[in-house]
C-alpha cells in the first residue's frame, strides 16, 4: 500500500483481493476458507474496474515499437494508437526525424481495417520509406493535424524514489518515455517542492535526493519526441533509469519544440 501511494495511486480505491491459484479460492466463487474476507472475488474486482475514456478527439500519436519489411507489402511500422484515429490515406509524419509518408493500409491481427482508435496495436504500411529511416522510439502523427516534433529540452516534475546519492546539475541518466529510451541531462534544478501540497520549499537547490520532488529542465542527448502530460498523458510520463533500476519518475510540464 505504501508503494502504491508513493507512485500516485489511492490505496483506499484499490481492491486488495486474497486468492489461492492452487485451490481456486476466491477467484471465481467465494470460498469457505476465507470466511474473514467480505470483499469481491478476483473476477468481480476485475469486472468493477472502470474502463478509461479513450482520447479519440485528440491529434494522432503512435509511439513506434518496431518496424518490419514485409515482402510484397513494404515497410510496416507497428505501434499502439495512444490518441486520435489512424486510417488509410492520411499523410503521417514521424518525429523526431520529420519524415512524411502516405499510409496505404492499417492492419490489426492481420485484418485490414478502415480506421483504428486508441488502445489498439496497429501495423500500418507506408509508401516510399526505408526500414532504416524510422525506428523504435519514433512517434507517428497526422502531418496535417498538429504533428509531433522533436524537442530540444523539456521541463518536468520528478519524484526521486530510489537513488543512492544526490542528483545534481549535469546528471545524465536514461529516461524511458513511451517506447523511447534516451539519455537526458539535468541542466537545471529549478524548484524543490513538497510532494503532497505542490508548494515550492526551496528555489534553485544544489541537489535533490530520495523522497524529494522537484521541477527540473532536461535536455536529450539524442533526437527525442515527447509531449506535455496535460496534452498527451501517454507521451508525457517517464521513468528515470540508472544502475539497472528505476531511480525516479516524472511527468512533463512543458516542451521546447525543435525548429525544423
Amino acid at each position: 500500500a505504501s508503494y502504491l501511494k508513493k507512485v500516485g495511486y489511492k490505496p483506499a480505491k484499490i481492491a486488495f483481493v486474497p486468492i489461492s491459484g492452487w485451490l481456486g479460492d476466491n477467484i471465481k466463487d467465494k470460498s469457505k476458507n476465507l470466511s474473514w474476507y467480505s470483499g469481491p472475488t478476483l473476477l468481480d474486482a476485475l469486472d468493477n474496474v472502470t474502463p478509461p475514456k479513450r482520447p479519440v478527439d485528440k491529434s494522432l500519436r503512435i509511439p513506434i515499437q518496431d518496424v518490419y519489411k514485409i515482402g510484397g507489402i513494404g515497410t510496416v511500422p507497428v505501434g499502439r494508437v495512444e490518441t486520435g484515429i489512424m486510417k488509410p490515406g492520411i499523410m503521417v509524419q514521424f518525429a523526431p526525424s520529420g519524415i512524411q509518408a502516405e499510409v496505404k493500409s492499417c492492419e490489426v491481427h492481420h485484418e485490414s481495417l478502415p480506421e483504428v482508435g486508441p488502445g489498439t496495436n496497429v501495423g500500418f504500411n507506408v509508401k516510399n520509406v526505408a526500414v532504416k529511416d524510422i525506428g523504435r522510439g519514433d512517434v507517428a502523427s497526422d502531418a496535417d493535424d498538429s504533428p509531433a516534433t522533436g524537442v530540444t529540452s523539456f521541463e518536468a516534475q520528478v519524484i526521486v524514489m530510489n537513488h543512492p546519492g544526490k542528483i545534481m546539475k549535469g546528471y545524465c541518466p536514461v529516461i524511458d518515455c513511451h517506447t523511447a529510451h534516451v539519455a537526458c541531462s539535468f541542466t537545471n534544478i529549478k524548484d524543490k517542492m513538497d510532494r503532497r501540497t505542490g508548494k515550492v520549499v526551496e528555489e534553485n537547490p544544489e541537489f535533490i535526493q530520495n523522497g524529494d520532488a522537484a521541477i527540473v529542465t532536461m535536455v536529450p542527448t539524442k533526437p527525442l519526441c515527447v509531449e506535455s502530460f496535460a496534452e498527451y498523458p501517454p507521451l508525457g510520463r517517464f521513468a528515470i533509469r540508472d544502475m539497472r533500476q528505476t531511480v525516479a519518475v516524472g511527468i512533463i510540464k512543458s516542451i521546447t519544440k525543435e525548429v525544423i
Side-chain angles (χ1 to χ4, degrees):
S2 60
Y3 180 76
L4 290 168
K5 198 171 182 181
K6 199 183 204 180
V7 294
Y9 290 98
K10 292 181 177 169
K13 291 189 172 181
I14 297 169
F16 289 81
V17 185
I19 61 166
S20 167
W22 183 252
L23 298 171
D25 288 340
N26 211 39
I27 292 178
K28 181 169 177 277
D29 301 310
K30 290 195 179 288
S31 166
K32 61 179 185 296
N33 297 328
L34 293 167
S35 54
W36 52 271
Y37 174 73
S38 58
T41 64
L42 178 62
L43 290 182
D44 289 341
L46 291 172
D47 287 340
N48 291 335
V49 172
T50 309
K53 185 177 174 289
R54 299 296 187 188
V56 291
D57 51 339
K58 296 198 171 185
S59 301
L60 179 68
R61 293 291 185 273
I62 305 177
I64 303 302
Q65 295 165 3
D66 265 310
V67 186
Y68 301 99
K69 186 174 179 68
I70 300 174
I73 296 174
T75 302
V76 178
V78 174
R80 177 181 145 115
V81 181
E82 296 291 2
T83 59
I85 300 283
M86 171 56 114
K87 55 179 85 166
I90 67 169
M91 186 67 76
V92 290
Q93 177 170 311
F94 294 95
S97 63
I99 291 168
Q100 294 190 357
E102 187 188 335
V103 177
K104 289 198 276 189
S105 64
C106 299
E107 284 198 2
V108 176
H109 303 306
H110 308 292
E111 184 187 347
S112 202
L113 295 177
E115 63 174 44
V116 181
T120 309
N121 277 339
V122 62
F124 54 100
N125 176 214
V126 287
K127 279 184 181 175
N128 306 324
V129 179
V131 171
K132 62 177 173 46
D133 293 338
I134 45 182
R136 184 178 173 85
D138 286 2
V139 176
S141 57
D142 187 339
D144 301 321
D145 180 13
S146 61
T149 61
V151 298
T152 53
S153 67
F154 56 91
E155 191 171 272
Q157 180 178 335
V158 298
I159 295 176
V160 186
M161 294 164 59
N162 189 25
H163 192 278
K166 295 174 178 178
I167 293 175
M168 307 172 83
K169 276 188 210 173
Y171 178 55
C172 191
V174 168
I175 76 156
D176 284 334
C177 183
H178 57 88
T179 57
H181 184 78
V182 173
C184 294
S185 176
F186 280 63
T187 57
N188 184 30
I189 303 174
K190 189 176 167 189
D191 298 312
K192 192 193 285 188
M193 301 162 70
D194 184 297
R195 277 167 50 182
R196 285 165 188 80
T197 63
K199 285 183 180 172
V200 175
V201 293
E202 187 183 346
E203 291 184 0
N204 299 313
E206 254 187 71
F207 62 86
I208 51 175
Q209 56 193 2
N210 268 3
D212 287 345
I215 299 291
V216 301
T217 304
M218 301 181 78
V219 173
T221 57
K222 287 195 307 187
L224 173 68
C225 173
V226 292
E227 298 280 4
S228 73
F229 183 80
E231 286 188 70
Y232 300 96
L235 283 82
R237 50 180 171 244
F238 60 89
I240 296 176
R241 304 272 301 166
D242 196 8
M243 299 164 287
R244 294 189 180 179
Q245 60 185 3
T246 300
V247 296
V249 292
I251 59 169
I252 295 167
K253 293 288 194 182
S254 63
I255 59 173
T256 305
K257 291 188 176 183
E258 220 168 41
V259 179
I260 299 174

